[in-house]
Amino acid sequence: RSPSPLPPPRLVPALERSLPTRCCLVSCHRRLYDLSGFVRLHPGGEQLLRRRAGTDVSAALDGPPHRHSENARRWLEQYYVGELEPGDEQGGSQTDPAVSDLVDWQKPLLWQVGHLGEKYDEWVHQPVDRPIRLFHSDFLEFLSKTAWYVVFMVWTPVVLYLSWVSYTSLAQGKTRLFSSFTTEYSIPVHKYYFPFIFLVGMILWSLLEYLIHRFVFHMKPPASNYYLITLHFLLHGQHHKSPFDSSRLVFPPVPASLVMGFFYGVLRLMLPEILGLAVFVGGLCGYVIYDMMHYYLHYGSPKKGSYLYGLKVYHVKHHFEHQRSGFGISTRFWDYPFRTLIPEETFKKED
């Protein structure tokens, strides 16, 4: 059934003059919303939202094909522009999220969130469409932001160089597994093993991606601990609060290099130097792919029915409704054995 078209919206003159000429107006319970700034980000695709321009979306919010969460409905309120008819008070009790917020958005948020206490967890999982400032210092603020292409430009040359070093070093035939325990039964690592070692590194990264996302980024800090709340917001809470802040969707290179150095050190202790390096560079490549995919899942428009489209819908559900599940980003694989898969939606058939 096609959505029912709206009657010509009658806005107050001042409001009508302020609207852009190519706005995407929809109504919900006689409240009007301009989704022009959101159509490109819509998880179901821009065309779906464009087709609903000028219609009442009240029923569509309940599905099928998708039942929109309370966070999605709260998100819609950010684009409120007026009533369908002047003086119509229906639905007027709903408030702009910015008005009733618990923080001062005109000031850096990092040092405010720790004071939210027991209200922090609910607040941080109510997403908004606005940029976040973390620090008073312009320099620290600059370091905390990263354009998506910076990750690719910084780390791709590193991956290529370390791959060459690993392969040429293995080609010398001096790398042997278990050589620190025994020389008689040690296993030589041939240069032709490099692609498989590289793949092992990528697989290990996908597991690490899941574990970090679930147990570090989604830890629930104690309400009484100001510093743990602040740390959580710095690591990941900021992303859940403002999931479409394009400058905060990938990991900045400076802190990333510290994390990479730590994991390289761990591999260096556990494996022969060149073998550890080969595993590390595979993991580093997995990280670059993960960060690029994460940005695309927020800002890209994959073809409906494609693998990336499914991942985009899955990840948006994680942000808006299932924050305690769906921790896989580049793949849903690890959500299966760890039992954190987001359940599929079902709808009862109408008689």
Side-chain angles (χ1 to χ4, degrees), residues 20 22 30 42 62 64 90 102 127 129 152 155 173 176 188 202 215 271 321 330 338 342:
R22 294 189 70 253
R30 307 198 67 77
H42 185 245
D62 292 322
Q90 192 170 1
L102 302 173
D129 186 13
F152 184 83
W155 294 114
R176 304 181 71 88
M202 292 187 67
F215 295 108
L271 298 170
E321 189 171 10
S330 58
F338 286 103
I342 295 176

Short mmCIF file of all heavy atoms in Angstrom, two decimals, residues 20 22 30 42 62 64 90 102 127 129 152 155 173 176 188 202 215 271 321 330 338 342:
data_model
loop_
_atom_site.label_atom_id
_atom_site.label_comp_id
_atom_site.label_asym_id
_atom_site.label_seq_id
_atom_site.Cartn_x
_atom_site.Cartn_y
_atom_site.Cartn_z
N PRO A 20 13.73 25.77 2.99
CA PRO A 20 14.41 25.71 1.69
C PRO A 20 13.46 25.26 0.60
O PRO A 20 12.44 24.62 0.87
CB PRO A 20 15.51 24.68 1.94
CG PRO A 20 15.06 23.87 3.11
CD PRO A 20 14.24 24.80 3.96
N ARG A 22 13.81 23.02 -1.83
CA ARG A 22 13.75 21.59 -2.14
C ARG A 22 13.76 20.77 -0.85
O ARG A 22 14.47 19.77 -0.73
CB ARG A 22 14.92 21.18 -3.03
CG ARG A 22 14.87 21.78 -4.42
CD ARG A 22 15.92 21.18 -5.33
NE ARG A 22 15.63 19.80 -5.69
CZ ARG A 22 16.28 18.75 -5.20
NH1 ARG A 22 17.23 18.91 -4.31
NH2 ARG A 22 15.97 17.53 -5.59
N ARG A 30 0.26 14.97 12.57
CA ARG A 30 -0.02 16.35 12.24
C ARG A 30 1.13 17.30 12.60
O ARG A 30 0.98 18.51 12.54
CB ARG A 30 -1.33 16.84 12.89
CG ARG A 30 -2.52 15.94 12.57
CD ARG A 30 -3.83 16.63 12.83
NE ARG A 30 -4.04 17.73 11.90
CZ ARG A 30 -4.41 17.59 10.62
NH1 ARG A 30 -4.60 16.39 10.11
NH2 ARG A 30 -4.58 18.64 9.84
N HIS A 42 19.79 8.28 5.65
CA HIS A 42 18.73 7.36 6.05
C HIS A 42 19.16 5.91 5.79
O HIS A 42 19.58 5.57 4.69
CB HIS A 42 17.45 7.67 5.27
CG HIS A 42 16.29 6.83 5.70
ND1 HIS A 42 15.69 5.91 4.87
CD2 HIS A 42 15.63 6.76 6.88
CE1 HIS A 42 14.70 5.31 5.51
NE2 HIS A 42 14.65 5.82 6.73
N ASP A 62 5.84 2.31 12.34
CA ASP A 62 5.58 1.05 13.03
C ASP A 62 5.86 -0.17 12.16
O ASP A 62 5.76 -1.30 12.63
CB ASP A 62 4.12 1.01 13.51
CG ASP A 62 3.85 2.02 14.61
OD1 ASP A 62 4.74 2.22 15.45
OD2 ASP A 62 2.77 2.62 14.61
N PRO A 64 5.49 -2.84 8.73
CA PRO A 64 6.76 -3.30 8.17
C PRO A 64 7.27 -2.36 7.07
O PRO A 64 6.51 -1.50 6.64
CB PRO A 64 6.39 -4.68 7.63
CG PRO A 64 4.92 -4.59 7.28
CD PRO A 64 4.33 -3.64 8.29
N GLN A 90 -1.95 19.33 18.59
CA GLN A 90 -1.81 17.89 18.71
C GLN A 90 -0.34 17.51 18.60
O GLN A 90 0.36 17.89 17.69
CB GLN A 90 -2.58 17.20 17.58
CG GLN A 90 -2.73 15.71 17.81
CD GLN A 90 -3.70 15.12 16.80
OE1 GLN A 90 -4.23 15.84 15.96
NE2 GLN A 90 -3.97 13.86 16.91
N LEU A 102 20.71 17.43 29.26
CA LEU A 102 21.33 17.49 30.58
C LEU A 102 22.69 18.15 30.57
O LEU A 102 23.32 18.29 31.62
CB LEU A 102 21.46 16.06 31.16
CG LEU A 102 20.15 15.27 31.30
CD1 LEU A 102 20.45 13.83 31.71
CD2 LEU A 102 19.23 15.93 32.31
N PRO A 127 20.70 9.19 20.75
CA PRO A 127 21.52 9.90 19.75
C PRO A 127 20.90 11.21 19.28
O PRO A 127 19.68 11.37 19.26
CB PRO A 127 21.62 8.89 18.61
CG PRO A 127 20.44 7.99 18.78
CD PRO A 127 20.19 7.91 20.24
N ASP A 129 21.64 14.58 16.26
CA ASP A 129 22.27 14.94 15.00
C ASP A 129 22.91 16.31 15.15
O ASP A 129 22.38 17.31 14.70
CB ASP A 129 21.24 14.94 13.87
CG ASP A 129 21.88 15.16 12.50
OD1 ASP A 129 23.11 15.07 12.41
OD2 ASP A 129 21.14 15.44 11.54
N PHE A 152 43.25 6.16 5.65
CA PHE A 152 43.73 5.45 4.46
C PHE A 152 45.11 5.97 4.04
O PHE A 152 46.01 5.18 3.72
CB PHE A 152 42.73 5.63 3.32
CG PHE A 152 43.08 4.85 2.09
CD1 PHE A 152 42.75 3.51 1.97
CD2 PHE A 152 43.74 5.47 1.04
CE1 PHE A 152 43.08 2.80 0.83
CE2 PHE A 152 44.07 4.76 -0.11
CZ PHE A 152 43.74 3.42 -0.21
N TRP A 155 47.90 4.91 6.95
CA TRP A 155 48.20 3.52 7.25
C TRP A 155 48.41 2.64 6.03
O TRP A 155 49.09 1.61 6.14
CB TRP A 155 47.10 2.93 8.13
CG TRP A 155 47.04 3.57 9.49
CD1 TRP A 155 46.03 4.34 9.99
CD2 TRP A 155 48.03 3.50 10.51
NE1 TRP A 155 46.32 4.76 11.26
CE2 TRP A 155 47.56 4.26 11.60
CE3 TRP A 155 49.28 2.90 10.61
CZ2 TRP A 155 48.29 4.42 12.78
CZ3 TRP A 155 50.02 3.04 11.78
CH2 TRP A 155 49.52 3.80 12.85
N GLY A 173 64.74 -17.29 4.49
CA GLY A 173 64.71 -18.65 5.03
C GLY A 173 65.25 -18.81 6.43
O GLY A 173 65.58 -19.93 6.85
N ARG A 176 61.98 -19.45 11.78
CA ARG A 176 61.51 -20.78 12.16
C ARG A 176 60.60 -20.65 13.38
O ARG A 176 60.87 -19.87 14.30
CB ARG A 176 62.66 -21.72 12.47
CG ARG A 176 63.68 -21.87 11.35
CD ARG A 176 64.79 -22.83 11.70
NE ARG A 176 64.31 -24.22 11.73
CZ ARG A 176 64.29 -25.01 10.67
NH1 ARG A 176 64.71 -24.54 9.48
NH2 ARG A 176 63.87 -26.25 10.77
N PRO A 188 60.24 -24.44 9.73
CA PRO A 188 60.61 -23.28 8.88
C PRO A 188 59.36 -22.60 8.33
O PRO A 188 58.38 -23.25 7.97
CB PRO A 188 61.44 -23.92 7.77
CG PRO A 188 60.98 -25.35 7.71
CD PRO A 188 60.62 -25.73 9.13
N MET A 202 44.42 -10.70 9.76
CA MET A 202 43.14 -10.04 9.50
C MET A 202 42.02 -10.69 10.32
O MET A 202 41.14 -9.99 10.86
CB MET A 202 42.80 -10.10 8.02
CG MET A 202 43.72 -9.27 7.13
SD MET A 202 43.19 -9.20 5.40
CE MET A 202 41.67 -8.26 5.56
N PHE A 215 33.63 -5.18 25.09
CA PHE A 215 34.05 -5.16 26.49
C PHE A 215 34.75 -3.86 26.91
O PHE A 215 34.84 -3.59 28.10
CB PHE A 215 34.96 -6.35 26.78
CG PHE A 215 34.25 -7.67 26.65
CD1 PHE A 215 34.52 -8.51 25.58
CD2 PHE A 215 33.30 -8.06 27.58
CE1 PHE A 215 33.87 -9.73 25.45
CE2 PHE A 215 32.63 -9.28 27.46
CZ PHE A 215 32.91 -10.11 26.39
N LEU A 271 55.85 -14.33 19.28
CA LEU A 271 56.24 -14.98 18.03
C LEU A 271 57.63 -14.51 17.59
O LEU A 271 58.10 -13.46 18.04
CB LEU A 271 55.23 -14.64 16.92
CG LEU A 271 53.79 -15.10 17.13
CD1 LEU A 271 52.89 -14.46 16.07
CD2 LEU A 271 53.69 -16.62 17.08
N GLU A 321 18.83 1.09 18.86
CA GLU A 321 17.93 0.24 19.66
C GLU A 321 18.63 -0.88 20.42
O GLU A 321 18.28 -1.16 21.56
CB GLU A 321 16.87 -0.37 18.74
CG GLU A 321 15.76 -1.10 19.48
CD GLU A 321 14.62 -1.50 18.56
OE1 GLU A 321 14.79 -1.39 17.32
OE2 GLU A 321 13.57 -1.93 19.06
N SER A 330 32.56 -4.83 10.81
CA SER A 330 32.95 -5.27 9.47
C SER A 330 32.40 -6.65 9.14
O SER A 330 32.35 -7.03 7.97
CB SER A 330 34.48 -5.27 9.34
OG SER A 330 35.07 -6.10 10.32
N PHE A 338 29.29 -15.68 20.16
CA PHE A 338 29.20 -14.98 21.44
C PHE A 338 27.75 -14.64 21.81
O PHE A 338 27.50 -13.97 22.82
CB PHE A 338 30.05 -13.71 21.41
CG PHE A 338 31.52 -13.96 21.50
CD1 PHE A 338 32.32 -13.88 20.37
CD2 PHE A 338 32.12 -14.30 22.70
CE1 PHE A 338 33.69 -14.11 20.42
CE2 PHE A 338 33.48 -14.53 22.78
CZ PHE A 338 34.27 -14.46 21.64
N ILE A 342 21.85 -9.42 16.80
CA ILE A 342 20.59 -8.67 16.88
C ILE A 342 19.49 -9.50 16.23
O ILE A 342 19.64 -9.94 15.08
CB ILE A 342 20.71 -7.31 16.16
CG1 ILE A 342 21.74 -6.43 16.88
CG2 ILE A 342 19.36 -6.60 16.10
CD1 ILE A 342 22.00 -5.10 16.19
#
